[in-house]
Amino acid sequence: MLPAAIAVAAAPLVQKTSAPGGSSQYSYLWTEASKAALSTALADRVGHGLDLVRSFEMDEAASDEAFSAMALRYAQALASGLVNPTVVHDPFTLGRAEPNLASALETALATGTLGKWLAELPPQDAEYAKLSASYRNLQAIAGGEVLAKIPDGVINVGDSDTRIPAIVDRLVAGGYLIAAGHRNSVIYSPPIADAIKAMQRDYGITEDGVIGPDTLGILNMSVADHARAIAVALERRRWLDRSPPATRIDVNTAAAALYYYRNGQLIDTRKVIVGSPGTETPPLQSPIYRLVANPTWTVPKSIQNGELANVGVNYLERNNMELRNGWIVQRSGPDNALGLVKFDMMNAHAIYLHDTSSPELFDRSQRYRSHGCVRVEDALGFAQLLADDQGLSLEWQNAQSAGEEQFVPLKTYIPVRLIYWNVFIEAGGKLAFRTDPYGWNEAIAKELGFGDRAVAPRRFEKADISP
């Protein structure tokens, strides 16, 4: 329902029609100015990575009904995404943007503000704006790019190889290396290896300086490949609620990193270990409601009947485990798979944050090893930070010192978002890329109008026996 003042202005632009069955509905009437505003917005959809979506091409001689349908379809793409995330992901419980577009379009047409309304539908934050600008720039040059593939073959530090000049060119273009003194060399020198390691770190692959298949795959990424990745990144951001909780924990599973915000300010960042391909960490939103000191671990039946199907009594004793009513349970202790703290979350998928008895794994750049839960670097320190923030320091310290499983309910639940962004803006303002470890982005890229892309299969370690 429109406010009275707007309804008067809207009267010439909206007419009542008879719908099948005798009910009434409204159709929109378009002025030439409104049609021009929609055409302008559609022509500039490159700023949202939607330029290759052919269904957004508009015939200016089309009927009012066609303009209305197009306006609503494009508004939907800007406001909450072209692709329905629940089709791509099952489960998907992240908070979504779901405005009433039909009513808002009526108001925009009535007040002559269609262009302004459309411009305000996508995310308005600085990160989206920077991704948008980067995509524009890449698309402006992608068509004229000629990029020869660097041939396969492993290169180790100290090797002499005719591919080094081409590799140096890619490193210089990516901002990893200054050209002086390196462009004419065929020796894989330590400074070039340092640049390779920085690139490997940025893309979340093993940071060893060896130029192998994964590293060559990154070096051979074209401008068009980077543009494709950014277009998907823009789409994933349009899915989400524009006003996430000011105090929250975001876990970027594609980057294996955790970010803790308090009252809108980033307070803490740390590494995490997330699901292995095949046992991915799903895109969920659910709150932490309590801290668990010295947790026990009830092994899920998927692991009990899989990796642990044939273990005997000796294995159970060696790993501080026992059978309880048909379930394998690991007792509390420093060798427990959950470590010394668990962050209990409210969801139906048994996904939560926790400590680990293998902290050395955080030193790896490739941190996709779990069965879906999220292991937090220095989880005890993180638990202490949350307890301090909620005035629960004494309760938490007493629970830890008990030496057995103890529960500390939070005074205020802390929302956690498990998101999947392999392109994002780092703290210093640099555009960062990661690989697509779960292979989730290709389906979205195709819906955005990008063609098939040959992606070499990546090698990941199997999930270890831990949640």
Side-chain angles (χ1 to χ4, degrees), residues 391-454:
L392 294 169
S393 300
L394 182 59
E395 291 89 337
W396 173 241
Q397 290 165 12
N398 289 338
Q400 284 182 273
S401 62
E404 59 183 11
E405 189 170 60
Q406 297 284 311
F407 303 96
V408 179
L410 296 182
K411 294 178 180 178
T412 303
Y413 294 174
I414 303 174
V416 178
R417 301 193 306 172
L418 305 177
I419 54 181
Y420 187 79
W421 292 352
N422 72 319
V423 185
F424 55 96
I425 309 301
E426 292 183 317
K430 178 184 175 183
L431 187 63
F433 288 83
R434 296 292 185 271
T435 55
D436 178 12
Y438 297 160
W440 281 346
N441 287 344
E442 281 305 297
I444 301 169
K446 289 179 183 178
E447 292 297 319
L448 293 173
F450 293 87
D452 290 334
R453 173 173 173 259

Side-chain angles (χ1 to χ4, degrees), residues 327-339:
W327 293 81
I328 295 177
V329 177
Q330 189 175 38
R331 304 180 191 93
S332 299
D335 293 331
N336 187 285
L338 301 182

Side-chain angles (χ1 to χ4, degrees), residues 162-414:
T162 57
R163 293 172 291 171
I164 294 300
I167 290 170
V168 167
D169 284 344
R170 309 286 167 87
L171 292 171
V172 170
Y176 294 103
L177 189 66
I178 297 174
H182 300 293
R183 273 221 159 100
N184 299 319
S185 174
V186 294
I187 303 299
Y188 185 28
S189 64
I192 300 174
D194 288 341
I196 286 289
K197 289 178 183 178
M199 186 192 76
Q200 290 172 330
R201 183 169 58 250
D202 278 355
Y203 282 86
I205 61 178
T206 303
E207 188 185 336
D208 56 10
V210 176
I211 302 176
D214 285 347
T215 300
L216 284 170
I218 301 301
L219 289 167
N220 280 322
M221 284 184 70
S222 65
V223 168
D225 291 333
H226 282 96
R228 178 193 193 96
I230 294 174
V232 173
L234 289 166
E235 172 72 2
R236 285 188 173 277
R237 283 159 178 77
R238 288 192 294 269
W239 290 348
L240 301 185
D241 187 350
R242 302 297 187 264
S243 301
T247 297
R248 69 183 186 278
I249 295 166
D250 282 349
V251 175
N252 185 349
T253 53
L258 177 150
Y259 306 89
Y260 173 41
Y261 294 87
R262 185 197 303 136
N263 298 324
Q265 299 298 312
L266 180 62
I267 299 301
D268 189 75
T269 302
R270 56 189 68 214
K271 298 175 184 176
V272 295
I273 293 168
V274 296
S276 173
T279 55
E280 299 90 350
T281 300
L284 300 181
Q285 181 166 331
S286 62
I288 294 173
Y289 68 97
R290 67 182 180 185
L291 304 178
V292 185
N294 310 303
T296 61
W297 177 40
T298 300
V299 178
K301 287 296 184 181
S302 59
I303 298 178
Q304 182 169 333
N305 298 329
E307 293 97 320
L308 300 184
N310 299 312
V311 302
V313 174
N314 290 339
Y315 179 91
L316 297 180
E317 291 179 352
R318 195 165 58 247
N319 289 279
N320 199 25
M321 293 175 167
E322 63 183 358
L323 278 173
R324 297 181 187 173
N325 300 319
W327 293 81
I328 295 177
V329 177
Q330 189 175 38
R331 304 180 191 93
S332 299
D335 293 331
N336 187 285
L338 301 182
L340 295 173
V341 58
K342 175 185 177 186
F343 305 81
D344 259 342
M345 293 167 58
M346 286 184 175
N347 60 68
H349 308 284
I351 298 294
Y352 47 85
L353 278 58
H354 63 90
D355 189 14
T356 177
S357 57
S358 302
E360 69 278 0
L361 296 177
F362 291 110
D363 293 332
R364 301 189 180 191
S365 55
Q366 191 180 101
R367 299 190 297 278
Y368 310 98
R369 297 180 59 94
S370 83
H371 277 80
C373 289
V374 178
R375 307 175 202 170
V376 181
E377 181 183 33
D378 182 23
L380 283 176
F382 190 56
Q384 188 65 57
L385 174 61
L386 300 185
D388 290 346
D389 282 354
Q390 300 225 350
L392 294 169
S393 300
L394 182 59
E395 291 89 337
W396 173 241
Q397 290 165 12
N398 289 338
Q400 284 182 273
S401 62
E404 59 183 11
E405 189 170 60
Q406 297 284 311
F407 303 96
V408 179
L410 296 182
K411 294 178 180 178
T412 303
Y413 294 174
I414 303 174

